[in-house]
Amino acid sequence: MTRWRFAAATDTGLVRDANEDALSVDETLAIVADGMGGHAAGEVASSLAVEVITREFHQNETVEGLYAAVETANHAVLADAVAHPERFGMGTTIIAIALTEDVAGIVSPTLVNVGDSRVYQLRDGALRQLSDDHSVAEEWVRMGRLTPEEAAVHPRRHQLTRVLGMDETVEIDVVSVAAQPGDRLLLCSDGLSNELTPDQLVQLASPPMPLEDAVDKLVAAAREAGGRDNITVVLVEFDEVVSTMTPVKKTVSTAPPAIAPPRTSRRRTSRFTWRVGIAIVVLMGVAVGFVGIMHWYAYSTYYLADDSGVIAVYQGQPNGVLWYSPRKVLDTTYPSAHLLPADQRLLAATIGEPSLASALTYAKSLNQSWHLARSIATTTTTSPTQSTTTSTTPVTTTTKAKG
Ligand code: MN
C-alpha cells in the first residue's frame, strides 16, 4: 500500500490583484493549477480544471483514468471559453501527483504535467525536479540550444508551449514516480519556483520541518523575495510506498476532435488547410464553369412554336435543361393556322435554329409556302413571283421573358 500525508497553501502574493492559482489535495490526488487570462478568466480556468480532474479521477483511479481526467478538464475549460467569449484565450497549467492502481492492484504515484508548474522530489537533503517545464526556453534546453543557466534568464522562459484549455488536443506528460518512504514531493506554481533558489526550497521543505510549517514558510519566503506572482504549494510525504511493476513514462496526446486530421502539429494543420483551400477553389471553378456551360447550352438554340394561334419564337431547349426553362422572345405576325399541313407537323416538332434571325427567316418561309400554295389553288393566272410579294416582313412585338 502507498500512503502519504499532505499540507498545502496558496497566496495572491504582493503584486497581483487576484489569485489565479488553484489547488486540491486529498488521500490519493494532489493538484496545482496556474491559470491565465484576463477578467478573472484565469481563476475560472484553474479552478474548473482542478474541480474536473478531482471529480473524474476519483471515478477511475488508474493511469488511464488520470490522463482521461486531464483530457476531460481540457475540454471543460475550452467549452467554458466558447460559452463565455469574454474568457476567450484563458487556460491553465496542471501539475498533479495521483496514487494510481495498476492491473495487479498495486497503488503507486503517477505524475501528470501540462505547462510550467513543477514537482520536486526531496530526498536526503537533495532536490530533484521530476517534471519538464513546457516553456520555450526549457524546450530549447532539452534540444541543446540553451544551457540551463541561459534558460533561467531567457526572455522566453515564461512563454508556455503547452496549456490546458486552449486547444481541442493537449499533450500530457504521464510519468511513474519511484518514491521511497520518507520522500517528500513538492508541487508548486512558478510564483514559488521563480522566487526561491533550489537551496532555499531544500532548506524550507525538507524534514524534520513539519509539513504545515514547511508550506507556510515557503509561501512567506516567496513573498519576502518579491511575491511578484501568485504562490501555491502542495507538499506530500510518503509513509509507505510500493512501486508499480509496469511504470509509465510517456506523453499522451488527447483524442482529436472527429472532424480534425489525426494527431496534427501546427505545421501539418496549416498544410492541410492549404490543400483544402486549393481543392475548394478548384471545385468552385469547376462548378462555375459547369453552370456557365449549361447556361450557354440551355439558351444556345431558338425554335418556333404556336402561342395562342400565333407563331412565336422561343429561346432555349424545347424541354428545358436542368433548371433552365425556355423563354419566349417574341410573337411573329404569322397566324399558326397559315401553315401547310406538313409545316404544322414541323412546327410541332420544334426544330431548332441557331439564331433569332434564322428562326424569323424560317417562320417567314413557312408563311410564304402557305401563301404560295393558297394562291396557286385559288388563282391560276397569278405568277409565283407576285405571290411572294404579298407577304409582309414580319412586324414583331417583343415579349419580355419572365426569366
Ligand atoms: Mn504563475
Side-chain angles (χ1 to χ4, degrees):
M1 198 61 193
T2 301
R3 277 184 228 277
W4 65 30
R5 290 174 295 117
F6 53 83
T10 186
D11 191 274
T12 304
L14 301 175
V15 175
R16 300 292 175 92
D17 294 331
N19 191 346
E20 298 190 322
D21 288 357
L23 72 86
S24 174
V25 59
D26 59 37
E27 283 70 26
T28 55
L29 181 65
I31 314 179
V32 167
D34 181 348
M36 63 209 68
H39 303 291
E43 286 167 79
V44 173
S46 60
S47 59
L48 180 60
V50 166
E51 179 192 314
V52 171
I53 292 170
T54 304
R55 184 188 69 220
E56 294 292 311
F57 174 70
H58 288 319
Q59 295 181 16
N60 179 11
E61 297 194 347
T62 64
V63 170
E64 294 74 23
L66 179 60
Y67 62 71
V70 177
E71 182 178 359
T72 303
N74 184 58
H75 288 137
V77 174
L78 195 60
D80 189 274
V82 169
H84 302 91
E86 72 276 14
R87 295 179 196 150
F88 177 80
M90 72 173 172
T92 185
T93 71
I94 278 290
I95 191 98
I97 296 283
L99 300 185
T100 55
E101 186 172 352
D102 65 16
V103 286
I106 295 170
V107 174
S108 64
T110 304
L111 178 166
V112 285
N113 180 36
V114 177
D116 69 348
S117 297
R118 291 179 175 175
V119 172
Y120 294 101
Q121 180 191 61
L122 288 148
R123 181 187 290 174
D124 302 329
L127 186 78
R128 189 161 73 99
Q129 187 178 335
L130 299 184
S131 57
D132 288 334
D133 293 349
H134 302 137
S135 66
V136 173
E138 292 298 327
E139 304 274 6
W140 284 353
V141 170
R142 286 192 285 280
M143 290 164 64
R145 285 179 64 179
L146 293 179
T147 64
E149 293 73 28
E150 288 168 334
V153 295
H154 197 277
R156 298 181 75 176
R157 67 186 181 281
H158 299 304
Q159 188 180 342
L160 299 186
T161 53
R162 295 191 212 169
V163 181
L164 196 86
M166 280 194 186
D167 208 341
E168 287 280 359
T169 61
V170 63
E171 294 188 332
I172 308 160
D173 287 352
V174 185
V175 185
S176 294
V177 176
Q180 296 174 2
D183 280 359
R184 287 183 176 186
L185 296 182
L186 170 65
L187 292 77
C188 66
S189 61
D190 63 348
L192 185 84
S193 51
N194 285 336
E195 300 290 8
L196 302 183
T197 64
D199 283 347
Q200 287 175 296
L201 295 178
V202 169
Q203 197 188 343
L204 297 169
S206 293
M209 183 81 75
L211 293 174
E212 288 77 10
D213 293 351
V215 296
D216 290 344
K217 284 180 185 296
L218 286 165
V219 168
R223 285 173 61 96
E224 208 167 300
R228 282 158 282 199
D229 194 1
N230 306 143
I231 307 151
T232 299
V233 188
V234 174
L235 193 59
V236 301
E237 181 176 322
F238 290 97
D239 291 332
E240 285 178 58
V241 187
V242 184
S243 287
T244 179
M245 300 297 282
T246 54
V248 293
K249 181 175 173 54
K250 59 183 177 181
T251 299
V252 178
S253 186
T254 64
I259 53 166
R263 181 62 189 85
T264 55
S265 69
R266 192 170 293 267
R267 179 181 291 265
R268 282 199 54 198
T269 304
S270 72
R271 221 165 34 211
F272 175 82
T273 306
W274 267 107
R275 283 183 187 172
V276 167
I278 290 167
I280 287 170
V281 167
V282 168
L283 283 174
M284 281 172 66
V286 168
V288 166
F290 175 78
V291 168
I293 287 168
M294 292 316 290
H295 187 275
W296 171 83
Y297 169 70
Y299 295 122
S300 63
T301 296
Y302 294 82
Y303 65 94
L304 303 178
D306 170 75
D307 183 32
S308 310
V310 172
I311 296 174
V313 180
Y314 289 82
Q315 186 182 16
Q317 304 293 336
N319 296 314
V321 176
L322 299 181
W323 53 88
Y324 299 112
S325 300
R327 55 198 181 203
K328 191 164 90 172
V329 180
L330 53 84
D331 287 320
T332 67
T333 53
Y334 312 125
S336 300
H338 294 183
L339 286 176
L340 297 174
D343 292 337
Q344 297 270 8
R345 287 195 294 277
L346 278 176
L347 188 72
T350 59
I351 292 168
E353 291 293 326
S355 68
L356 178 59
S358 67
L360 288 170
T361 309
Y362 181 50
K364 185 179 175 181
S365 71
L366 292 178
N367 185 261
Q368 282 173 345
S369 301
W370 179 79
H371 279 290
L372 180 63
R374 196 158 168 269
S375 64
I376 290 167
T378 56
T379 319
T380 52
T381 56
T382 310
S383 71
T385 46
Q386 281 177 313
S387 161
T388 53
T389 57
T390 58
S391 75
T392 55
T393 302
V395 176
T396 59
T397 53
T398 53
T399 306
K400 191 70 188 167
K402 260 200 308 186

